[in-house]
Amino acid sequence: MIKVELFELELGRYDWAAMRCGCDRSELAGHLPEILRRAAAAATPKEARELWNAIDYHLLPAGHVLAEPSLPTLHVLLAALADGVPERSRAEILHLILALIGDNGQVASPVFAGRSLVDECRAAARAGLWIFYAEVLSGDSVGSATTAFEIAQILDDDEERLNRVQAAAGERLPWHLQPGTQIDWDSDGS
């Protein structure tokens, strides 16, 4: 049984029905909490992947454009990680967080006048930086460690700390992220 106290506390902080959702199903995001609950309670890795992948449609409707519920959902995702959701959901949550803090724009809305939703999402995720570092070092999953390290690379300006975590993680990261590995992306292969 998954413990979801922090997840539920954070989920209850927001007036989802007052937010414009990114999906076409409804103008408002009142349906999103139930979808998040179902995804957090997924019984199998396949079910988790399907449910979490469906959520990005509500948050990133045009691929890389953040919608109004993106920031509250990011807070809920951080709470779910802190609650210790099972690996089948952890991996998908980390992928969704990476998508939310990536190279995005935001929907045009008076709600965001003078605000940068991208910067706000990154600041919120930065507050959970230690969750990502703990995931890198946990050894539970190379996939989750990889995604968590990629998140940390975006969020943490402290290059020394990144390098130290990378060195400590060693083989818990895939070969291309291990210390001393450099990939020449501009190489023509010769």
Side-chain angles (χ1 to χ4, degrees), residues 124-163:
R126 196 171 285 114
L129 187 61
W130 294 108
I131 293 172
F132 305 121
Y133 280 137
E135 189 69 43
V136 170
L137 297 175
S138 74
D140 292 339
S141 161
V142 172
S144 290
T146 300
T147 307
F149 190 74
E150 290 171 344
I151 291 168
Q153 286 178 309
I154 292 170
L155 299 175
D156 198 349
D157 295 331
D158 188 334
E159 192 172 327
E160 179 190 354
R161 181 172 40 223
L162 273 166
N163 291 335

Side-chain angles (χ1 to χ4, degrees), residues 26-188:
S26 162
E27 249 187 57
L28 302 176
H31 57 281
L32 201 49
E34 187 53 36
I35 295 170
L36 289 165
R37 282 186 187 100
R38 283 194 355 248
T44 67
K46 181 181 184 226
E47 181 184 17
R49 187 173 36 261
E50 289 170 358
L51 288 167
W52 287 109
N53 285 340
I55 290 170
D56 68 3
Y57 175 67
H58 301 271
L59 310 175
L60 296 154
H64 292 286
V65 178
L66 298 172
E68 192 173 352
S70 297
L71 181 59
T73 300
L74 180 60
H75 287 285
V76 170
L77 298 176
L78 292 169
L81 291 174
D83 258 344
V85 295
E87 176 56 35
R88 62 186 168 266
S89 285
R90 287 183 85 72
E92 302 307 324
I93 288 170
L94 289 164
H95 282 290
L96 187 52
I97 290 172
L98 184 59
L100 290 172
I101 66 164
D103 189 18
N104 296 314
Q106 66 190 41
V107 294
S109 169
V111 172
F112 303 126
R115 292 175 53 195
S116 170
L117 193 52
V118 174
D119 290 343
E120 290 177 34
C121 281
R122 287 184 181 165
R126 196 171 285 114
L129 187 61
W130 294 108
I131 293 172
F132 305 121
Y133 280 137
E135 189 69 43
V136 170
L137 297 175
S138 74
D140 292 339
S141 161
V142 172
S144 290
T146 300
T147 307
F149 190 74
E150 290 171 344
I151 291 168
Q153 286 178 309
I154 292 170
L155 299 175
D156 198 349
D157 295 331
D158 188 334
E159 192 172 327
E160 179 190 354
R161 181 172 40 223
L162 273 166
N163 291 335
R164 291 175 66 88
V165 169
Q166 184 182 35
E171 292 183 5
R172 288 174 272 194
L173 290 172
W175 69 270
H176 69 280
L177 289 178
Q178 291 178 15
T181 303
Q182 291 185 333
I183 300 173
D184 183 2
W185 296 105
D186 296 325
S187 174
D188 63 2

